[in-house]
Amino acid sequence: MLGTIRRFWRDQRGIALILVSVMLPAIIGFSLLVIDMSRLNNLHFDLQKGADAFALAGAAELDGQSDSIVRADRAIATLVSNQYNFSDSTTPGPQTLAAAGVTRRYLNNLPADNAAIPASYVITDEVTNAKTARYVQINVTPIGFAAIFPVSFLSSSATGNFDVAATAVAGFNTSVCDYTPVFICNPYEKTEAAGGLTLEQAASDRSQRRKQLILRGDDFYGPGNFSFLATPLGPGANALGDALASVKPASCYTQNGVTTKPGQNSGQVLDGLNARFGLTSGYVTSAPPAQNVRMGVQSVTCKSGAVKSITFNTTTNGTTTNGTVGLNRDDCYYGIGSCTPLDPANPSQAGTLGNGEWHADRYWTANHLVPGSTTTSRPFPTGVPWTSTGTNEATRYEIYRYEVDNGLIGDKSTSGDTGLPLCSMGSIAPPDRRILYGAIIDCGKVSLNGKTTNAPVRAFGSFFITEPIKDGKQIYVELVDITGKGGRGTLDNFLRDKAQLYR
């Protein structure tokens, strides 16, 4: 009997069953916690993924236009249909975020990371201030979650039911690269404010684009004035001149904000701009001329393959005594002479915008003689979407590109002038060497005072330089295109559009 007791006492068979029985509640409880955590993480992931998708869809429409919020709301409502699982919904199967409820609000700015969003950053008037919307915040209505783990076992007052929410903030940013460090005050800002012509309307209308714009380097920032942006090439007039002369400037700028760097229109600046015509004074480096530099030259003196001196013909309504003309200036400019002001209430705009009458027919007759003839001109182009006169008269840029694209650069004028680079200079491949790229800023809405950071850009534009700069204070250009609404897509190669999450 005693031996039997001893053997029973020493027998360890079945001990695992005892240990499992003791640990089973803990194992089951831990397993339930793991399952609950997995369900919770999956639910939150679904909600956050949906919030992110809604925010990105809306942000992609915030391009600074008056209908941007309307389009963003439409994108949020129609482009995204995310599902979530593992909530305590009484409806079986996965649910959609739209059914759960999603709210949004638009912001004109965003504070530093993790900082609360001030009320002043929230756009309340979504019609008037739609253009200022830069970010959209998406909030998903909290979803109920019921834990499997019996938390009441731990405390009679505890509950395993709680809400899971998600929020996301996304913004839209347009940037350009390989852009010249120039900004231009929107010449149509005041007319737009008065309910008249807008920048977008002008960019999409040939009769408006051919109106010559005089960019002025004055000390005040009014419509048509220009100045400079900070360049990664460094400070100083030499670096700025090189950036202006470069075929492919090493600089990128974002539409959400640029840094202005006003400076005097020095010899380096003049040299950088005129490098496109092969007219430099030694300030800039690596600045070959354009393929087509026709500019109404009367006489030129060369030295060591460079222009030593040059004399231009003056024109009156597209005519000269010897028939040699460059791309003529407009007959008159609003507020000067017979041209009425573009906006009579704003005389500061006088003289910045021409009337668009530049006489393409006279330019063509004077500069495109039939080869071998000294009197007969080529017929004006046909089969093109523009004409020589009238309401559909060609822009200077369209004529310039027609000359380049159809091999007419070498055509002589009645005095022997051509569009070939002067003094046996080599030409370069890009046909748009005479395009000046710049940021267009609504200067009346931005407090520009010296160096200004984060100045919002209305659009990025391209401007055709119609003639060399004589004194560095005035640049004669035509508007070619802009980015965004009203644009015609010619700047797409420069664009870097990106909708991204910030929170």
Side-chain angles (χ1 to χ4, degrees):
M1 183 66 176
L2 184 60
T4 302
I5 296 174
R6 288 194 184 107
R7 287 194 299 272
F8 177 78
W9 180 259
R10 294 171 182 172
D11 193 352
Q12 296 184 2
R13 291 176 296 177
I15 190 66
L17 180 60
I18 299 174
L19 295 177
V20 169
S21 299
V22 173
M23 295 297 298
L24 187 59
I27 294 173
I28 294 175
F30 183 76
S31 300
L32 292 178
L33 284 176
V34 171
I35 293 173
D36 281 343
M37 289 301 298
S38 177
R39 292 174 58 234
L40 179 62
N41 286 336
N42 282 326
L43 175 58
H44 185 265
F45 177 77
D46 286 346
L47 298 182
Q48 189 61 57
K49 183 174 63 175
D52 293 347
F54 278 115
L56 288 171
E61 303 297 331
L62 301 181
D63 56 359
Q65 302 303 316
S66 58
D67 62 343
S68 60
I69 288 182
V70 173
R71 287 184 280 109
D73 282 345
R74 186 185 305 123
I76 292 171
T78 61
L79 296 184
V80 181
S81 179
N82 285 74
Q83 295 179 333
Y84 64 91
N85 294 277
F86 306 117
S87 75
D88 65 349
S89 173
T90 57
T91 303
Q95 308 299 305
T96 64
L97 263 66
V102 173
T103 60
R104 94 292 183 271
R105 61 178 183 172
Y106 294 94
L107 314 173
N108 55 32
N109 205 344
L110 198 63
D113 291 346
N114 300 322
I117 298 176
S120 60
Y121 287 5
V122 180
I123 297 176
T124 54
D125 188 341
E126 296 181 352
V127 176
T128 303
N129 299 322
K131 292 182 179 180
T132 66
R134 290 291 178 268
Y135 307 91
V136 58
Q137 182 182 31
I138 295 293
N139 294 306
V140 177
T141 302
I143 304 298
F145 177 83
I148 300 174
F149 183 84
V151 294
S152 59
F153 174 77
L154 303 176
S155 173
S156 59
S157 60
T159 176
N161 298 324
F162 53 90
D163 292 334
V164 181
T167 184
V169 176
F172 179 77
N173 187 23
T174 293
S175 60
V176 293
C177 290
D178 306 328
Y179 238 61
T180 41
V182 172
F183 78 85
I184 297 158
C185 292
N186 179 10
Y188 303 96
E189 182 179 3
K190 291 184 178 179
T191 58
E192 179 180 349
L197 187 67
T198 68
L199 172 65
E200 291 75 22
Q201 290 171 335
S204 60
D205 185 344
R206 177 180 291 110
S207 66
Q208 297 296 332
R209 292 198 308 274
R210 71 168 177 264
K211 292 182 177 180
Q212 196 171 43
L213 178 64
I214 305 176
L215 303 182
R216 302 182 301 188
D218 299 332
D219 294 331
F220 73 97
Y221 296 119
N225 288 74
F226 80 95
S227 194
F228 309 105
L229 301 174
T231 169
L233 296 181
N238 287 338
L240 179 60
D242 284 341
L244 292 172
S246 176
V247 177
K248 192 174 182 179
S251 54
C252 294
Y253 301 100
T254 174
Q255 190 164 359
N256 283 355
V258 294
T259 299
T260 64
K261 189 176 179 60
Q264 296 297 317
N265 299 324
S266 61
Q268 289 91 334
V269 171
L270 171 63
D271 217 41
L273 293 171
N274 277 348
R276 293 161 168 77
F277 294 87
L279 308 177
T280 62
S281 302
Y283 286 114
V284 300
T285 59
S286 302
Q291 294 180 27
N292 185 355
V293 298
R294 193 184 298 271
M295 47 188 157
V297 175
Q298 187 178 60
S299 63
V300 60
T301 302
C302 301
K303 183 178 180 180
S304 301
V307 176
K308 181 179 180 181
S309 63
I310 189 169
T311 301
F312 299 101
N313 281 318
T314 57
T315 66
T316 302
N317 292 343
T319 61
T320 62
T321 54
N322 61 8
T324 302
V325 296
L327 291 164
N328 314 316
R329 295 180 180 178
D330 283 355
D331 285 351
C332 61
Y333 298 85
Y334 288 108
I336 297 179
S338 60
C339 286
T340 57
L342 182 64
D343 182 4
N346 296 287
S348 63
Q349 198 170 22
T352 61
L353 194 65
N355 66 346
E357 299 296 331
W358 74 281
H359 305 285
D361 55 340
R362 297 179 187 176
Y363 168 84
W364 189 269
T365 300
N367 288 282
H368 290 286
L369 297 178
V370 173
S373 174
T374 58
T375 58
T376 305
S377 300
R378 294 179 185 269
F380 195 82
T382 58
V384 291
W386 30 264
T387 57
S388 61
T389 58
T391 58
N392 201 35
E393 181 181 353
T395 67
R396 296 168 182 83
Y397 176 67
E398 287 170 328
I399 294 292
Y400 166 83
R401 282 305 304 254
Y402 187 88
E403 293 172 333
V404 172
D405 297 338
N406 291 275
L408 303 179
I409 299 174
D411 278 6
K412 290 185 178 181
S413 70
T414 53
S415 63
D417 182 34
T418 72
L420 298 172
L422 305 175
C423 300
S424 300
M425 298 176 181
S427 61
I428 59 173
D432 283 339
R433 178 74 165 118
R434 281 170 60 177
I435 292 289
L436 177 66
Y437 301 98
I440 303 174
I441 297 177
D442 287 331
C443 295
K445 299 177 182 178
V446 180
S447 179
L448 296 178
N449 183 16
K451 180 179 179 180
T452 302
T453 59
N454 294 324
V457 176
R458 171 67 176 272
F460 292 100
S462 56
F463 301 83
F464 175 63
I465 304 176
T466 63
E467 63 182 63
I469 295 87
K470 306 297 195 304
D471 58 7
K473 293 293 184 181
Q474 292 185 336
I475 308 176
Y476 287 81
V477 300
E478 273 185 347
L479 175 64
V480 177
D481 201 2
I482 62 173
T483 57
K485 187 177 180 180
R488 294 175 294 117
T490 62
L491 297 174
D492 289 351
N493 288 339
F494 295 91
L495 288 177
R496 306 290 188 273
D497 289 342
K498 180 172 63 176
Q500 68 180 72
L501 291 169
Y502 291 87
R503 295 189 177 188

